[in-house]
Amino acid sequence: MKIKTGDDYRQSLKALGTEVYVLGEKVDDVTTNPFTRPHVNCAALLYDLTGDPGLGDLLTAKSHLTGKKISRFTHIHQSTDDLVAKVKMMRAMGRKTGSCFQRCVGHDGLNTLYSVTYEIDGELGTEYHQRLRNYLEHVQEENIMIAGAMTDAKGDRSLRPSKQTDPDMFVRVTGRRADGVIVRGCKMHITGAVNSHDVLVMPTTGMGEEEKDFAVSFSIPANTSGVVMVFGRQTNDARRAENGTLDLGNAAYGPVGGEAAIFFEDVFVPWERVFLCGEHRFSGSFVDRFATAHRQNYGGCKAGICDVMIGAAALVAEYQGTDGASHVRDKVTEMIHLAETLHSCSLACSYEGAPTPSGAYVADRLLANVVKMNTTRFVYEVARLVHDVAGGFIATTPSERDMNHPKLGKFIDKYFKSKNGFPAEHRIRIGRLIECMTGGTTLTESMHGAGSPQAQRLMILRRGNIEEKKRFARELAGIPEPGES
């Protein structure tokens, strides 16, 4: 692995020079810009922890292509043990960062392409899978970070891609050459995009015969000519431009995500980086396989984030002298129950995983959707309970500048402390952490990341095997099968 440490990673981003804009200004260096730096730090920590004796086994794997030790974020799952290790790794990283560490989307994209391209080649005689294997060896050797890009702008959501007034609402091929293709369009809400080395594009929905140009998947370096990224605003992000860290809550690693819009303006993609181009019948397989892989994750990373919120609730209760109250203990117990339920679902869908024809394993599709459906509720409930335990001060506390003011500081220090032995600053710091983790992107991402709740409901109903369940009921009730006397 050429990129081994966080510093290696930061230096590689400096050399990359992706075209990124924040608040209308071009970013010279994403590793130092106050808006993007926390997300760089978060991903950098994963590189540093690879050498940690307690976490290294979770963060690394053995490549099935080369036999070399690689980052698990570049690994193709070879067993249910790999699926389980992924979930456990993600919970550990959620605990370490309290944020989104961003590499899982690209990881899920690689696994999706590996299995689907194998099936395309087997049926159509194409060479997508060999291209993907070649690319994967490069990714594993360099240990690069990939931004998985699936969500399109979509325009009028009542219309199919081919019926849009502006066809660029879905990423599409606009030209084919002997050496590659030209693409246009936009991918939105892409996690970790501004601090990734490559962008891996996949179709966002199943395509029909008339939508061949939209059935495209490819990977390109993030600094490719014609690629422009705009970093999304987040709750309280203006605080990042201020001096000090207290008001940020999670100053080192920031709020969840670091999402960006990626614009593709007549971007050239060489054929060796193209993994789907016009084979529209397989676009739905990309979506289904990716959705399963990504929904599997949420009982890992979100359970880890919930662990941090539970710890924050327990600390603020201790600081305020309410930790012994029965209703507080009951609320903390409920938060633990919700976090462990999420984790259990992710483990279950992993243990019930199965191999694809390519040999790569995928999680159980039904249970993976149950994981994500629970996430759309449980993380919100954990956040609500944290707010309940902490109290309203998390939203109304004076700023760090007020605390450091020669006249105001003594008042804040006096009146914002609670239980003896715990200074006001500690109570305010944990309150700001709660505000950061529950006030914006964390909750929205829990709802809409990997698809909105309705997408999970549709998949749960589709895979819930209602006819089989009706048969169970008929057998027990003594009712004959339809058509039998």
Side-chain angles (χ1 to χ4, degrees):
M1 295 183 289
K2 290 188 178 178
I3 303 177
K4 295 182 178 180
T5 68
D7 284 342
D8 291 343
Y9 167 65
R10 291 183 180 90
Q11 290 304 314
S12 69
L13 293 181
K14 288 176 182 288
L16 192 64
T18 303
E19 187 173 355
V20 176
Y21 293 83
V22 175
L23 299 180
E25 300 290 333
K26 189 174 181 181
V27 176
D28 294 326
D29 183 353
V30 295
T31 71
T32 58
N33 184 279
F35 292 91
T36 58
R37 183 177 58 229
H39 307 289
V40 173
N41 290 344
C42 202
L45 181 66
L46 305 187
Y47 286 95
D48 283 332
L49 289 176
T50 300
D52 185 283
L55 295 169
D57 288 344
L58 278 180
L59 283 160
T60 58
K62 181 180 179 180
S63 171
H64 77 291
L65 296 179
T66 65
K68 295 180 180 180
K69 183 178 180 179
I70 58 171
S71 166
R72 189 170 295 279
F73 286 106
T74 67
H75 182 52
I76 303 300
H77 307 304
Q78 299 297 298
S79 64
T80 56
D81 286 344
D82 278 342
L83 294 171
V84 170
K86 171 193 178 187
V87 171
K88 292 183 176 181
M89 169 184 71
M90 296 184 75
R91 187 168 191 177
M93 295 304 99
R95 290 167 171 171
K96 284 284 188 181
T97 65
S99 187
C100 175
F101 32 91
Q102 305 151 70
R103 291 193 74 178
C104 61
V105 191
H107 183 212
D108 295 333
L110 289 173
N111 276 271
T112 296
L113 264 68
Y114 191 89
S115 61
V116 178
T117 56
Y118 181 90
E119 293 162 26
I120 299 173
D121 286 3
E123 183 171 335
L124 301 181
T126 49
E127 56 184 32
Y128 294 130
H129 187 67
Q130 187 56 54
R131 292 178 189 173
L132 190 281
R133 289 172 66 95
N134 294 340
Y135 175 63
L136 182 61
E137 286 195 39
H138 160 72
V139 169
Q140 291 179 346
E141 180 66 24
E142 299 292 330
N143 194 13
I144 64 174
M145 178 169 160
I146 298 173
M150 178 168 277
T151 304
D152 287 287
K154 299 182 181 178
D156 183 344
R157 285 154 175 78
S158 70
L159 299 177
R160 298 286 305 168
S162 60
K163 303 299 183 184
Q164 296 288 325
T165 303
D166 183 346
D168 292 345
M169 291 300 101
F170 289 78
V171 171
R172 64 192 178 103
V173 174
T174 60
R176 290 171 171 80
R177 301 180 352 195
D179 54 349
V181 297
I182 308 297
V183 299
R184 289 178 62 86
C186 170
K187 291 292 186 178
M188 306 187 79
H189 325 302
I190 306 305
T191 300
V194 303
N195 51 291
S196 289
H197 302 98
D198 279 12
V199 177
L200 177 60
V201 169
M202 295 166 282
T204 197
T205 188
M207 304 293 179
E209 173 73 26
E210 71 283 4
E211 292 159 340
K212 289 183 178 180
D213 288 341
F214 302 94
V216 61
S217 177
F218 58 87
S219 182
I220 52 174
N223 65 350
T224 299
S225 177
V227 174
V228 179
M229 301 188 189
V230 178
F231 193 71
R233 292 220 68 167
Q234 298 176 335
T235 304
N236 295 330
D237 59 4
R239 297 181 188 181
R240 299 191 191 187
E242 301 173 0
N243 293 325
T245 61
L246 187 149
D247 289 340
L248 297 175
N250 187 351
Y253 306 120
V256 165
E259 285 76 19
I262 309 176
F263 306 116
F264 301 88
E265 283 292 298
D266 299 321
V267 174
F268 172 72
V269 184
W271 282 117
E272 60 266 24
R273 289 289 194 99
V274 176
F275 310 117
L276 180 74
C277 189
E279 295 81 8
H280 62 93
R281 290 191 295 108
F282 295 90
S283 56
S285 297
F286 276 80
V287 177
D288 177 64
R289 205 71 56 84
F290 177 81
T292 298
H294 204 47
R295 290 167 189 171
Q296 172 209 9
N297 299 350
Y298 278 72
C301 61
K302 291 300 182 289
I305 286 173
C306 284
D307 289 337
V308 178
M309 289 196 278
I310 293 164
L315 277 173
V316 78
E318 182 181 4
Y319 295 162
Q320 296 176 164
T322 59
D323 51 318
S326 60
H327 72 93
V328 170
R329 294 169 63 85
D330 186 61
K331 288 162 187 168
V332 172
T333 300
E334 177 64 8
M335 286 187 272
I336 295 171
H337 163 72
L338 293 170
E340 298 306 328
T341 301
L342 279 180
H343 190 56
S344 299
C345 285
S346 274
L347 292 177
C349 78
S350 302
Y351 281 116
E352 291 294 310
T356 63
S358 71
Y361 274 65
V362 297
D364 181 89
R365 288 168 171 79
L366 174 60
L367 296 181
N369 280 274
V370 172
V371 174
K372 182 53 178 53
M373 176 61 73
N374 282 340
T375 304
T376 67
R377 302 172 181 172
F378 291 1
V379 179
Y380 278 78
E381 181 62 8
V382 169
R384 186 189 71 81
L385 291 169
V386 175
H387 289 177
D388 190 353
V389 171
F393 90 100
I394 63 172
T396 59
T397 299
S399 71
E400 183 173 4
R401 282 182 287 186
D402 295 316
M403 290 183 64
N404 294 330
H405 192 277
K407 180 176 181 179
L408 305 176
K410 63 181 180 181
F411 295 121
I412 294 170
D413 187 58
K414 177 178 180 177
Y415 291 109
F416 275 82
K417 70 173 182 288
S418 295
K419 191 174 179 180
N420 284 339
F422 299 109
E425 182 182 341
H426 290 188
R427 180 177 178 238
I428 291 171
R429 282 190 176 277
I430 208 67
R432 288 297 190 207
L433 177 63
I434 293 170
E435 178 193 29
C436 173
M437 296 185 70
T438 63
T441 313
T442 299
L443 300 185
T444 304
E445 199 273 337
S446 296
M447 179 67 74
H448 291 289
S452 63
Q454 191 59 26
Q456 285 102 64
R457 288 182 180 278
L458 290 171
M459 191 61 71
I460 288 169
L461 181 61
R462 184 182 302 167
R463 295 193 171 275
N465 207 338
I466 297 298
E467 291 304 316
E468 182 184 51
K469 292 175 172 58
K470 286 161 66 175
R471 178 170 58 81
F472 296 155
R474 279 195 297 265
E475 289 177 355
L476 291 173
I479 299 172
E481 292 290 321
E484 296 181 358
S485 57

